[in-house]
Amino acid sequence: QWRRFVSGYGLQNHSDGSVVFVVKCDGVEKFRSPMVKEWTEEQVEIDLTDVTTLELIVEDSGNGKWGDAGIWFAPRLER
């Protein structure tokens, strides 16, 4: 019965990596970030109406896994 997922996302400070953030709801991709390679925080907000399963995924951006330290900042579920 959650209504919304809200979170920041980005790389850990001083990480030299690059990642892609993905949110899936009931196995369906609802959000895919562009490649993140800066230390700035971005935001995502997803409608969770009728969603049973929420997945938060951090993927390698395709250039190797060296330094890929992706972080979900203060993720929260709202009613």
Side-chain angles (χ1 to χ4, degrees):
Q1 298 195 10
W2 298 105
R3 188 180 56 131
R4 187 166 68 151
F5 166 74
V6 180
S7 184
Y9 63 90
L11 283 181
Q12 178 177 326
N13 282 349
H14 308 292
S15 170
D16 291 328
S18 59
V19 295
V20 174
F21 291 84
V22 179
V23 177
K24 289 185 179 182
C25 297
D26 295 328
V28 176
E29 190 173 291
K30 295 293 184 176
F31 171 78
R32 175 173 289 273
S33 74
M35 182 192 321
V36 176
K37 56 184 178 179
E38 302 294 328
W39 302 335
T40 58
E41 181 179 344
E42 301 295 332
Q43 296 287 319
V44 62
E45 182 176 319
I46 305 288
D47 178 15
L48 296 179
T49 305
D50 299 322
V51 171
T52 304
T53 304
L54 176 68
E55 296 175 76
L56 305 180
I57 303 163
V58 179
E59 297 179 345
D60 170 61
S61 67
N63 62 351
K65 296 180 182 181
W66 183 257
D68 289 349
I71 300 173
W72 294 98
F73 298 110
R76 68 184 184 274
L77 297 171
E78 298 177 352
R79 290 192 189 269

